[in-house]
Amino acid sequence: MAYDLYAPRPLFDEDHQAFRENVRSFLERHVQGHIEEWDEAGEVPRSIIDLAGEQGYFGINVPEEFGGGGVEDYRFRIAAIEEFQRVGATSLAATVATHSDIVLPYFLDMATPEQAARWLPKLASGEWICAVAMTEPGAGSDLRGIRATAVRDGDDWILNGSKIFITNGITADLVVVAARTEDGAGGLSLFVVEAGMPGFHRGRKLKKIGLKAQDTAELFFENVRVPASNLLGEIGKGLPALMSHLPMERLSIAAAAAGGARAAIAWTIDYVLNRQAFGAPIASFQNTQFELADMVTELEVTQAYLDDSVLRLNEGTLSAVDASKAKMWATESHKRIVDRCLQLFGGYGYMLEYPIARAYADTRVTTIYGGTSEIMKMIIARDVLGAR
């Protein structure tokens, strides 16, 4: 029997597989034939984002009372992530993942009942897209370097500062902004800034090496009057809140990396079986066989750790350190595998009409965003060495 990269894994049951088929059908009908077109245009049409919302892809884990799926099992998201990666829909996947895996959990865990009723229905449906604004020109991985400020003024907060590299920054209807509060609390606090608030400006949609159809932006806040009812969580407790939500964010990135590596290998197997050189398929060459043997083994070992991490996330036992291990290893592995796959395509691998070329550009950022590989190693090393 031929090796099947997409054979069902023990991680999933019949419900997960049925959901996977739903996602696959959606991508085949609405996405797969338009990826190159969207990259050239520099954006995914909002109509496609709305369609994804109608399918329930944005609010799987949102309680049913707010219009979500009411399912906290992260395996459904893993199935969706793998299908998006399978067809190379990385820009759309990043939009969905930022909304669903990175920002939405802040609302689910920290919103008051009034806030939940106000925001969650539209976030669950995808009618509103959200973003989180942490990174600043002078503060990337070091969140303690954030300089944006929020000063209390009666029942409001006056927000000032700028953010950069904000995924969904142009599209977002709600932005969770991390700022220093000057109310005796000294630390960071989180504020929900809504589109259209006076003083909230979106800057450039940044041009990137990869993920060209996914919007990444500069955001500016000039005396934005944010009502106290838009404070998310407690004053001065923003940093612990940010840190506590990193495991899911990093696992989401790791899952996308493994899914991307799987897709790259699948495209490469198909190519080397059909491409002829020196009178024989490239697949018949020992170098090709050894490269594929290495990559498939690396992927399966990586996937085993990730699948275990998903189960631990579901159980609430996945630590920040173990999520960092998953993120660091899977993204570095993804980068290696895509590079080796592109080499097997030869000159065609450098042509953007082939998904492996787009994947090569899209992959590079995964070892940077969500915490660089170097930061992941520091977190792991501190745990190993007992540093505090």
Side-chain angles (χ1 to χ4, degrees):
M1 179 180 291
Y3 179 76
D4 183 3
L5 271 166
Y6 287 98
R9 303 198 303 278
L11 180 69
F12 303 108
D13 63 24
E14 291 181 0
D15 289 340
H16 302 120
Q17 291 302 125
F19 179 71
R20 180 189 293 275
E21 291 298 327
N22 174 277
V23 175
R24 186 176 300 177
S25 176
F26 169 79
L27 293 171
E28 288 174 351
R29 286 183 288 118
H30 300 293
V31 175
Q32 195 166 354
H34 302 284
I35 294 170
E36 189 173 355
E37 162 195 336
W38 295 343
D39 275 357
E40 290 177 357
E43 65 179 353
V44 176
R46 185 64 187 246
S47 60
I48 297 299
I49 295 173
D50 291 341
L51 278 176
E54 291 172 11
Q55 294 295 313
Y57 300 154
F58 285 107
I60 296 171
N61 58 340
V62 175
E64 292 181 357
E65 64 182 291
F66 299 115
V71 179
E72 295 185 14
D73 184 351
Y74 195 61
R75 289 176 292 179
F76 287 98
R77 275 291 299 139
I78 294 295
I81 288 168
E82 291 177 354
E83 289 304 312
F84 276 79
Q85 295 298 109
R86 180 176 185 159
V87 300
T90 47
S91 291
L92 179 58
T95 297
V96 177
T98 299
H99 179 97
S100 301
D101 300 340
I102 297 175
V103 193
L104 193 52
Y106 289 98
F107 291 94
L108 292 172
D109 297 341
M110 301 171 65
T112 65
E114 182 277 329
Q115 290 173 332
R118 181 155 52 111
W119 292 323
L120 283 179
K122 291 187 176 182
L123 293 176
S125 68
E127 181 180 347
W128 284 355
I129 297 300
C130 54
V132 61
M134 292 185 278
T135 303
E136 298 181 2
S141 297
D142 180 13
L143 296 178
R144 291 177 176 82
I146 286 175
R147 300 180 64 182
T149 61
V151 179
R152 192 69 185 249
D153 182 33
D155 291 334
D156 300 329
W157 292 86
I158 307 302
L159 178 65
N160 281 283
S162 65
K163 303 289 181 176
I164 197 168
F165 307 144
I166 306 306
T167 305
N168 291 354
I170 298 295
T171 308
D173 301 279
L174 299 180
V175 182
V176 177
V177 182
R180 295 207 167 277
T181 42
E182 298 179 4
D183 191 44
L188 299 177
S189 299
L190 302 181
F191 298 89
V192 178
V193 174
E194 303 176 29
M197 283 185 169
F200 170 35
H201 306 291
R202 307 175 202 256
R204 296 176 297 155
K205 182 166 72 173
L206 302 171
K207 294 182 178 180
K208 310 183 296 293
I209 293 174
L211 296 177
K212 292 185 176 180
Q214 205 291 316
D215 81 77
T216 304
E218 299 174 311
L219 301 179
F220 299 97
F221 308 92
E222 299 176 6
N223 294 319
V224 180
R225 186 169 289 275
V226 182
S229 59
N230 281 33
L231 173 70
L232 193 60
E234 298 180 47
I235 297 173
K237 299 295 179 64
L239 184 59
L242 294 170
M243 300 301 290
S244 69
H245 287 86
L246 286 175
M248 180 180 282
E249 174 180 351
R250 287 169 178 166
L251 189 60
S252 173
I253 296 170
R262 188 176 300 276
I265 294 172
W267 301 329
T268 303
I269 289 173
D270 182 67
Y271 181 81
V272 300
L273 285 170
N274 292 283
R275 174 69 174 171
Q276 298 273 326
F278 304 102
I282 295 174
S284 67
F285 302 154
Q286 187 182 71
N287 177 70
T288 302
Q289 295 169 7
F290 281 10
E291 285 288 290
L292 287 170
D294 275 351
M295 291 188 287
V296 164
T297 302
E298 183 172 342
L299 171 63
E300 291 191 357
V301 171
T302 302
Q303 192 70 67
Y305 185 86
L306 288 178
D307 288 356
D308 179 68
S309 297
V310 170
L311 294 177
R312 285 187 285 144
L313 180 74
N314 278 353
E315 296 168 354
T317 61
L318 181 67
S319 71
V321 173
D322 287 343
S324 296
K325 292 174 185 175
K327 198 271 182 186
M328 185 272 289
W329 178 261
T331 57
E332 291 290 346
S333 172
H334 185 198
K335 190 169 65 173
R336 286 191 298 270
I337 285 173
V338 169
D339 184 69
R340 295 171 80 173
C341 286
L342 188 148
Q343 188 71 19
L344 291 174
F345 275 77
Y348 289 104
Y350 207 63
M351 301 296 111
L352 285 172
E353 64 192 86
Y354 284 81
I356 193 66
R358 296 195 298 274
Y360 185 79
D362 293 346
T363 298
R364 188 60 187 85
V365 73
T366 62
T367 60
I368 298 172
Y369 63 20
T372 64
S373 292
E374 291 74 21
I375 293 294
M376 299 302 98
K377 291 177 183 179
M378 287 176 60
I379 293 169
I380 298 164
R382 287 172 180 168
D383 181 69
V384 170
L385 299 172
R388 297 291 184 268

